[in-house]
Structures are given as structure tokens and as C-alpha cells.
Amino acid sequence: MSLQIDAVILAGGMARRMGGNDKGLVELQAQPMIKHAIDRIKPQVREILINANRNQTSYAEFGYKVISDEDSGYLGPLAGMITAMGQTQANYLLVVPCDCPLLPTDLVERMLSQIEKEGADLAVASDGVREQPVVLLLKPELRDSMKAFLDAGERKIDFWYAKHNCAVADFSDQPNAFINVNTPEQKQQLSEAIAK
């Protein structure tokens, strides 16, 4: 039996540093940022879910199921992950943010390999310098643990996964893979870098 892996792209935030513009829909190289993320992960997973708390109609136009946080109030990435874990029947859920247009094309393969090697429950990606707490591959049955953590008023994902058997997948050979775009200036810099 082959493992089934679904993905959720997190586009549920307020994007305050992007002037309140919905980051996933901000254009980079003439395409909405989320489209870059979709193109990168689509060949790696069975189904894609999009977690969005506004502009749901615009996100639905990409052809994937759009889910909003079960808990209202913009509680951060954990809320989107919890919602997605409740919507998948897959063995693993890949979590990526909508503002990482250069995600590795072998993201799932390498994260899964690290999980299997270490007998872990989840893996977090590292660019070789720091861990990327919103790039995770995890078992959906971790949902209750994450929900309890959020319900206790906690928000920091790395504090949550530190409580579990978490493998670190090293992507130091692709140092730009997790560049994320939070401000108009970063968008401009990345656009210029891609164009070179």
C-alpha cells in the first residue's frame, strides 16, 4: 500500500507587513504567489487544501478545496493546520505557507525519508541555518495534541513540535527554497533574483 499524502497551503493570515494585502494573491512574476506554491507541491501530493480566512472565492478559482479556520480570530498557522488535519484521510499532511514560491520539488520525498529513518511522527524543514516551522510533514492524528496546545493559549509552532518525536529534514543544498515574501520590498528583491 502506498502512502497517501495531502497538503495544505496556509493563506489564512492577516499579512500586516504586506500592507494588509492577501499574500497568497499578491502577484510575483505575473502569477499570484500561491500559484507558485501550488505548482511546486502539486506533483508531490494527492490532494491540496487551501486554508484561507478571506477572499475564499478568489482562492477557490485555483480549483482546490478552500477551508477556513475552525476557530475564528486569526489564531495563526496552528489554527489552519488543525482545520486541515480534520479534513484529510491521508497518512501524512504536508504543510506549507502561501508565500514560499521556491519550495523544493523533492520536499515530500526528503521529509518522509527523514521521518522513516528516525521513526518520527513529523518532520520540519531546515534551510541549514534555521528550521522552517510552517514547513512540516505530519501525521493527522497529531491534531488533538495541537488543538490542546492552541486551546491552552500557545501559538509558537516550534514549542509544539518540540514536544513530539520530530525529525529535521536538511535542505541546506537549496538555501533559497524557503525564502518567504512578507513585504513589498522582499517581493521586489525576489522578483529580481528570479529574473536573473
Side-chain angles (χ1 to χ4, degrees):
M1 182 195 102
S2 63
L3 286 176
Q4 293 189 325
I5 297 172
D6 288 347
V8 60
I9 300 176
L10 300 175
M14 302 276 281
R16 290 185 185 91
R17 287 178 289 176
M18 195 57 94
N21 291 320
D22 198 327
K23 274 201 291 192
L25 301 175
V26 168
E27 292 216 340
L28 176 76
Q29 301 289 96
Q31 287 199 92
M33 201 123 51
I34 194 169
K35 179 74 169 66
H36 293 277
I38 289 169
D39 290 348
R40 289 280 175 153
I41 65 168
K42 187 173 179 228
Q44 304 184 56
V45 297
R46 180 184 65 163
E47 279 181 33
I48 292 175
L49 300 167
I50 297 174
N51 167 236
N53 293 313
R54 53 187 179 147
N55 300 317
Q56 283 95 339
T57 312
S58 299
Y59 280 115
E61 288 171 8
F62 294 101
Y64 300 100
K65 185 176 180 182
V66 178
I67 56 172
S68 301
D69 293 351
E70 288 169 11
D71 296 310
S72 60
Y74 289 97
L75 297 178
L78 286 168
M81 293 182 202
I82 289 164
T83 303
M85 283 196 270
Q87 300 260 346
T88 178
Q89 305 297 314
N91 304 93
Y92 286 96
L93 179 71
L94 175 71
V95 179
V96 296
C98 66
D99 59 358
C100 265
L102 304 176
L103 288 164
T105 52
D106 57 355
L107 186 61
V108 168
E109 180 188 335
R110 287 166 69 169
M111 292 178 88
L112 185 60
S113 163
Q114 205 60 39
I115 285 174
E116 290 173 344
K117 193 189 297 182
E118 298 185 29
D121 295 318
L122 73 157
V124 61
S126 166
D127 62 8
V129 177
R130 62 181 64 87
E131 291 173 7
Q132 305 294 314
V134 286
V135 182
L136 298 170
L137 185 66
L138 43 74
K139 294 177 178 174
E141 54 261 37
L142 292 169
R143 181 179 186 276
D144 289 349
S145 154
M146 191 183 279
K147 180 133 180 51
F149 181 79
L150 185 68
D151 289 349
E154 299 282 359
R155 295 285 183 275
K156 288 188 72 68
I157 302 164
D158 39 355
F159 287 4
W160 172 78
Y161 66 65
K163 298 170 184 284
H164 294 273
N165 183 358
C166 178
V168 177
D170 180 13
F171 289 89
S172 52
D173 57 321
Q174 301 180 48
N176 296 327
F178 305 106
I179 287 177
N180 68 332
V181 180
N182 287 311
T183 64
E185 293 75 26
Q186 287 174 340
K187 187 190 110 163
Q188 185 59 36
Q189 288 164 1
L190 186 59
S191 228
E192 288 164 8
I194 294 172
K196 279 178 185 165

